[in-house]
PDB file of all heavy atoms in Angstrom:
ATOM      1  N   PHE A  36      51.804  26.048 159.574  1.00 96.00           N
ATOM      2  CA  PHE A  36      52.946  25.132 159.553  1.00 96.00           C
ATOM      3  C   PHE A  36      53.167  24.697 160.990  1.00 96.00           C
ATOM      4  O   PHE A  36      53.473  25.516 161.850  1.00 96.00           O
ATOM      5  CB  PHE A  36      54.216  25.826 159.061  1.00 96.00           C
ATOM      6  CG  PHE A  36      54.276  26.060 157.590  1.00 96.00           C
ATOM      7  CD1 PHE A  36      53.901  27.286 157.059  1.00 96.00           C
ATOM      8  CD2 PHE A  36      54.733  25.076 156.736  1.00 96.00           C
ATOM      9  CE1 PHE A  36      53.977  27.518 155.702  1.00 96.00           C
ATOM     10  CE2 PHE A  36      54.824  25.305 155.371  1.00 96.00           C
ATOM     11  CZ  PHE A  36      54.432  26.527 154.851  1.00 96.00           C
ATOM     12  N   LYS A  37      52.992  23.420 161.287  1.00 98.00           N
ATOM     13  CA  LYS A  37      53.176  22.908 162.636  1.00 98.00           C
ATOM     14  C   LYS A  37      54.102  21.697 162.579  1.00 98.00           C
ATOM     15  O   LYS A  37      53.830  20.744 161.852  1.00 98.00           O
ATOM     16  CB  LYS A  37      51.830  22.523 163.245  1.00 98.00           C
ATOM     17  CG  LYS A  37      51.903  22.130 164.696  1.00 98.00           C
ATOM     18  CD  LYS A  37      50.506  21.890 165.250  1.00 98.00           C
ATOM     19  CE  LYS A  37      50.574  21.550 166.719  1.00 98.00           C
ATOM     20  NZ  LYS A  37      49.236  21.303 167.274  1.00 98.00           N
ATOM     21  N   LYS A  38      55.190  21.785 163.327  1.00 98.00           N
ATOM     22  CA  LYS A  38      56.201  20.719 163.358  1.00 98.00           C
ATOM     23  C   LYS A  38      56.714  20.391 161.952  1.00 98.00           C
ATOM     24  O   LYS A  38      56.803  19.231 161.558  1.00 98.00           O
ATOM     25  CB  LYS A  38      55.646  19.462 164.020  1.00 98.00           C
ATOM     26  CG  LYS A  38      55.241  19.651 165.459  1.00 98.00           C
ATOM     27  CD  LYS A  38      54.689  18.372 166.030  1.00 98.00           C
ATOM     28  CE  LYS A  38      54.175  18.588 167.440  1.00 98.00           C
ATOM     29  NZ  LYS A  38      53.492  17.383 167.948  1.00 98.00           N
ATOM     30  N   CYS A  39      57.055  21.431 161.188  1.00 96.00           N
ATOM     31  CA  CYS A  39      57.545  21.243 159.819  1.00 96.00           C
ATOM     32  C   CYS A  39      59.029  21.567 159.719  1.00 96.00           C
ATOM     33  O   CYS A  39      59.549  22.415 160.434  1.00 96.00           O
ATOM     34  CB  CYS A  39      56.773  22.138 158.857  1.00 96.00           C
ATOM     35  SG  CYS A  39      55.051  21.661 158.669  1.00 96.00           S
ATOM     36  N   ASN A  40      59.688  20.897 158.801  1.00 97.00           N
ATOM     37  CA  ASN A  40      61.089  21.145 158.505  1.00 97.00           C
ATOM     38  C   ASN A  40      61.174  21.782 157.123  1.00 97.00           C
ATOM     39  O   ASN A  40      60.879  21.136 156.116  1.00 97.00           O
ATOM     40  CB  ASN A  40      61.883  19.838 158.539  1.00 97.00           C
ATOM     41  CG  ASN A  40      63.354  20.057 158.250  1.00 97.00           C
ATOM     42  OD1 ASN A  40      63.829  21.173 158.163  1.00 97.00           O
ATOM     43  ND2 ASN A  40      64.075  18.961 158.093  1.00 97.00           N
ATOM     44  N   LEU A  41      61.574  23.052 157.094  1.00 96.00           N
ATOM     45  CA  LEU A  41      61.741  23.782 155.835  1.00 96.00           C
ATOM     46  C   LEU A  41      63.216  24.075 155.565  1.00 96.00           C
ATOM     47  O   LEU A  41      63.545  24.929 154.752  1.00 96.00           O
ATOM     48  CB  LEU A  41      60.966  25.100 155.904  1.00 96.00           C
ATOM     49  CG  LEU A  41      59.454  24.972 156.085  1.00 96.00           C
ATOM     50  CD1 LEU A  41      58.853  26.270 156.586  1.00 96.00           C
ATOM     51  CD2 LEU A  41      58.811  24.552 154.786  1.00 96.00           C
ATOM     52  N   SER A  42      64.091  23.356 156.245  1.00 97.00           N
ATOM     53  CA  SER A  42      65.527  23.623 156.154  1.00 97.00           C
ATOM     54  C   SER A  42      66.078  23.361 154.760  1.00 97.00           C
ATOM     55  O   SER A  42      65.585  22.523 154.017  1.00 97.00           O
ATOM     56  CB  SER A  42      66.272  22.759 157.171  1.00 97.00           C
ATOM     57  OG  SER A  42      65.885  23.115 158.475  1.00 97.00           O
ATOM     58  N   ASN A  43      67.134  24.135 154.440  1.00 97.00           N
ATOM     59  CA  ASN A  43      67.846  24.000 153.166  1.00 97.00           C
ATOM     60  C   ASN A  43      66.929  24.184 151.955  1.00 97.00           C
ATOM     61  O   ASN A  43      67.159  23.602 150.897  1.00 97.00           O
ATOM     62  CB  ASN A  43      68.556  22.638 153.094  1.00 97.00           C
ATOM     63  CG  ASN A  43      69.543  22.471 154.221  1.00 97.00           C
ATOM     64  OD1 ASN A  43      70.469  23.255 154.359  1.00 97.00           O
ATOM     65  ND2 ASN A  43      69.321  21.464 155.050  1.00 97.00           N
ATOM     66  N   SER A  44      65.893  24.977 152.122  1.00 97.00           N
ATOM     67  CA  SER A  44      64.933  25.214 151.038  1.00 97.00           C
ATOM     68  C   SER A  44      65.078  26.623 150.472  1.00 97.00           C
ATOM     69  O   SER A  44      65.740  27.473 151.050  1.00 97.00           O
ATOM     70  CB  SER A  44      63.508  25.016 151.554  1.00 97.00           C
ATOM     71  OG  SER A  44      63.302  23.681 151.932  1.00 97.00           O
ATOM     72  N   LYS A  45      64.435  26.857 149.342  1.00 97.00           N
ATOM     73  CA  LYS A  45      64.361  28.184 148.722  1.00 97.00           C
ATOM     74  C   LYS A  45      62.910  28.627 148.807  1.00 97.00           C
ATOM     75  O   LYS A  45      62.027  27.996 148.210  1.00 97.00           O
ATOM     76  CB  LYS A  45      64.828  28.131 147.276  1.00 97.00           C
ATOM     77  CG  LYS A  45      66.291  27.781 147.136  1.00 97.00           C
ATOM     78  CD  LYS A  45      66.674  27.640 145.677  1.00 97.00           C
ATOM     79  CE  LYS A  45      68.059  27.050 145.565  1.00 97.00           C
ATOM     80  NZ  LYS A  45      68.287  26.443 144.258  1.00 97.00           N
ATOM     81  N   ILE A  46      62.688  29.717 149.546  1.00 96.00           N
ATOM     82  CA  ILE A  46      61.327  30.218 149.756  1.00 96.00           C
ATOM     83  C   ILE A  46      61.351  31.723 149.502  1.00 96.00           C
ATOM     84  O   ILE A  46      61.052  32.538 150.361  1.00 96.00           O
ATOM     85  CB  ILE A  46      60.842  29.889 151.189  1.00 96.00           C
ATOM     86  CG1 ILE A  46      61.050  28.401 151.479  1.00 96.00           C
ATOM     87  CG2 ILE A  46      59.376  30.258 151.357  1.00 96.00           C
ATOM     88  CD1 ILE A  46      60.759  27.987 152.907  1.00 96.00           C
ATOM     89  N   VAL A  47      61.753  32.115 148.313  1.00 97.00           N
ATOM     90  CA  VAL A  47      61.938  33.516 147.952  1.00 97.00           C
ATOM     91  C   VAL A  47      60.605  34.154 147.573  1.00 97.00           C
ATOM     92  O   VAL A  47      59.796  33.566 146.861  1.00 97.00           O
ATOM     93  CB  VAL A  47      62.954  33.631 146.789  1.00 97.00           C
ATOM     94  CG1 VAL A  47      63.092  35.057 146.320  1.00 97.00           C
ATOM     95  CG2 VAL A  47      64.305  33.061 147.219  1.00 97.00           C
ATOM     96  N   ASP A  48      60.383  35.373 148.073  1.00 98.00           N
ATOM     97  CA  ASP A  48      59.202  36.183 147.760  1.00 98.00           C
ATOM     98  C   ASP A  48      57.884  35.458 148.026  1.00 98.00           C
ATOM     99  O   ASP A  48      56.907  35.627 147.294  1.00 98.00           O
ATOM    100  CB  ASP A  48      59.245  36.673 146.301  1.00 98.00           C
ATOM    101  CG  ASP A  48      60.344  37.695 146.075  1.00 98.00           C
ATOM    102  OD1 ASP A  48      60.611  38.497 146.988  1.00 98.00           O
ATOM    103  OD2 ASP A  48      60.950  37.695 144.990  1.00 98.00           O
ATOM    104  N   GLY A  49      57.842  34.674 149.082  1.00 96.00           N
ATOM    105  CA  GLY A  49      56.590  34.018 149.475  1.00 96.00           C
ATOM    106  C   GLY A  49      55.724  34.963 150.300  1.00 96.00           C
ATOM    107  O   GLY A  49      56.225  35.831 151.000  1.00 96.00           O
ATOM    108  N   ASP A  50      54.433  34.818 150.215  1.00 97.00           N
ATOM    109  CA  ASP A  50      53.500  35.628 151.004  1.00 97.00           C
ATOM    110  C   ASP A  50      52.789  34.721 152.000  1.00 97.00           C
ATOM    111  O   ASP A  50      51.902  33.955 151.634  1.00 97.00           O
ATOM    112  CB  ASP A  50      52.496  36.324 150.092  1.00 97.00           C
ATOM    113  CG  ASP A  50      51.651  37.350 150.838  1.00 97.00           C
ATOM    114  OD1 ASP A  50      51.627  37.332 152.086  1.00 97.00           O
ATOM    115  OD2 ASP A  50      51.003  38.171 150.160  1.00 97.00           O
ATOM    116  N   PHE A  51      53.206  34.811 153.253  1.00 97.00           N
ATOM    117  CA  PHE A  51      52.665  34.002 154.341  1.00 97.00           C
ATOM    118  C   PHE A  51      51.886  34.871 155.335  1.00 97.00           C
ATOM    119  O   PHE A  51      51.851  34.583 156.524  1.00 97.00           O
ATOM    120  CB  PHE A  51      53.795  33.270 155.061  1.00 97.00           C
ATOM    121  CG  PHE A  51      54.594  32.366 154.171  1.00 97.00           C
ATOM    122  CD1 PHE A  51      55.785  32.784 153.613  1.00 97.00           C
ATOM    123  CD2 PHE A  51      54.134  31.093 153.879  1.00 97.00           C
ATOM    124  CE1 PHE A  51      56.521  31.955 152.779  1.00 97.00           C
ATOM    125  CE2 PHE A  51      54.853  30.245 153.045  1.00 97.00           C
ATOM    126  CZ  PHE A  51      56.052  30.683 152.492  1.00 97.00           C
ATOM    127  N   SER A  52      51.264  35.917 154.862  1.00 98.00           N
ATOM    128  CA  SER A  52      50.524  36.828 155.739  1.00 98.00           C
ATOM    129  C   SER A  52      49.419  36.093 156.485  1.00 98.00           C
ATOM    130  O   SER A  52      48.813  35.157 155.963  1.00 98.00           O
ATOM    131  CB  SER A  52      49.889  37.961 154.919  1.00 98.00           C
ATOM    132  OG  SER A  52      50.887  38.721 154.281  1.00 98.00           O
ATOM    133  N   ASN A  53      49.200  36.522 157.725  1.00 98.00           N
ATOM    134  CA  ASN A  53      48.129  35.970 158.561  1.00 98.00           C
ATOM    135  C   ASN A  53      48.252  34.466 158.761  1.00 98.00           C
ATOM    136  O   ASN A  53      47.256  33.758 158.843  1.00 98.00           O
ATOM    137  CB  ASN A  53      46.753  36.315 157.977  1.00 98.00           C
ATOM    138  CG  ASN A  53      46.560  37.799 157.850  1.00 98.00           C
ATOM    139  OD1 ASN A  53      46.622  38.534 158.832  1.00 98.00           O
ATOM    140  ND2 ASN A  53      46.363  38.267 156.626  1.00 98.00           N
ATOM    141  N   SER A  54      49.477  33.983 158.841  1.00 98.00           N
ATOM    142  CA  SER A  54      49.718  32.544 158.979  1.00 98.00           C
ATOM    143  C   SER A  54      50.256  32.210 160.361  1.00 98.00           C
ATOM    144  O   SER A  54      50.521  33.092 161.173  1.00 98.00           O
ATOM    145  CB  SER A  54      50.700  32.074 157.901  1.00 98.00           C
ATOM    146  OG  SER A  54      50.115  32.195 156.626  1.00 98.00           O
ATOM    147  N   SER A  55      50.421  30.922 160.606  1.00 97.00           N
ATOM    148  CA  SER A  55      50.930  30.447 161.883  1.00 97.00           C
ATOM    149  C   SER A  55      52.047  29.449 161.648  1.00 97.00           C
ATOM    150  O   SER A  55      51.881  28.498 160.881  1.00 97.00           O
ATOM    151  CB  SER A  55      49.794  29.787 162.672  1.00 97.00           C
ATOM    152  OG  SER A  55      50.288  29.191 163.845  1.00 97.00           O
ATOM    153  N   PHE A  56      53.182  29.682 162.303  1.00 97.00           N
ATOM    154  CA  PHE A  56      54.323  28.772 162.254  1.00 97.00           C
ATOM    155  C   PHE A  56      54.625  28.370 163.685  1.00 97.00           C
ATOM    156  O   PHE A  56      54.881  29.219 164.528  1.00 97.00           O
ATOM    157  CB  PHE A  56      55.554  29.463 161.670  1.00 97.00           C
ATOM    158  CG  PHE A  56      55.462  29.805 160.222  1.00 97.00           C
ATOM    159  CD1 PHE A  56      54.731  30.899 159.793  1.00 97.00           C
ATOM    160  CD2 PHE A  56      56.133  29.049 159.271  1.00 97.00           C
ATOM    161  CE1 PHE A  56      54.659  31.229 158.448  1.00 97.00           C
ATOM    162  CE2 PHE A  56      56.058  29.372 157.928  1.00 97.00           C
ATOM    163  CZ  PHE A  56      55.317  30.461 157.512  1.00 97.00           C
ATOM    164  N   SER A  57      54.608  27.073 163.993  1.00 98.00           N
ATOM    165  CA  SER A  57      54.926  26.649 165.355  1.00 98.00           C
ATOM    166  C   SER A  57      55.759  25.371 165.352  1.00 98.00           C
ATOM    167  O   SER A  57      55.586  24.498 164.498  1.00 98.00           O
ATOM    168  CB  SER A  57      53.656  26.441 166.174  1.00 98.00           C
ATOM    169  OG  SER A  57      52.873  25.399 165.654  1.00 98.00           O
ATOM    170  N   ASN A  58      56.681  25.323 166.308  1.00 98.00           N
ATOM    171  CA  ASN A  58      57.526  24.147 166.511  1.00 98.00           C
ATOM    172  C   ASN A  58      58.143  23.644 165.212  1.00 98.00           C
ATOM    173  O   ASN A  58      58.134  22.452 164.922  1.00 98.00           O
ATOM    174  CB  ASN A  58      56.730  23.035 167.194  1.00 98.00           C
ATOM    175  CG  ASN A  58      56.140  23.501 168.506  1.00 98.00           C
ATOM    176  OD1 ASN A  58      56.844  24.018 169.359  1.00 98.00           O
ATOM    177  ND2 ASN A  58      54.834  23.354 168.645  1.00 98.00           N
ATOM    178  N   SER A  59      58.667  24.578 164.421  1.00 97.00           N
ATOM    179  CA  SER A  59      59.221  24.252 163.113  1.00 97.00           C
ATOM    180  C   SER A  59      60.615  24.841 162.956  1.00 97.00           C
ATOM    181  O   SER A  59      61.051  25.650 163.768  1.00 97.00           O
ATOM    182  CB  SER A  59      58.311  24.787 162.007  1.00 97.00           C
ATOM    183  OG  SER A  59      57.025  24.205 162.074  1.00 97.00           O
ATOM    184  N   MET A  60      61.304  24.429 161.890  1.00 96.00           N
ATOM    185  CA  MET A  60      62.608  25.007 161.605  1.00 96.00           C
ATOM    186  C   MET A  60      62.780  25.265 160.118  1.00 96.00           C
ATOM    187  O   MET A  60      62.239  24.543 159.276  1.00 96.00           O
ATOM    188  CB  MET A  60      63.720  24.139 162.149  1.00 96.00           C
ATOM    189  CG  MET A  60      63.940  22.834 161.458  1.00 96.00           C
ATOM    190  SD  MET A  60      65.444  22.080 162.112  1.00 96.00           S
ATOM    191  CE  MET A  60      64.832  20.453 162.410  1.00 96.00           C
ATOM    192  N   ALA A  61      63.536  26.335 159.857  1.00 96.00           N
ATOM    193  CA  ALA A  61      63.886  26.706 158.490  1.00 96.00           C
ATOM    194  C   ALA A  61      65.344  27.151 158.506  1.00 96.00           C
ATOM    195  O   ALA A  61      65.669  28.288 158.198  1.00 96.00           O
ATOM    196  CB  ALA A  61      62.964  27.804 157.984  1.00 96.00           C
TER     197      ALA A  61
END
Side-chain angles (χ1 to χ4, degrees):
F36 284 96
K37 187 175 182 180
K38 298 179 185 173
C39 292
N40 181 8
L41 298 161
S42 296
N43 301 301
S44 295
K45 295 176 190 159
I46 309 173
V47 176
D48 291 325
D50 189 345
F51 301 97
S52 298
N53 302 301
S54 294
S55 174
F56 292 77
S57 64
N58 303 307
S59 299
M60 70 172 132

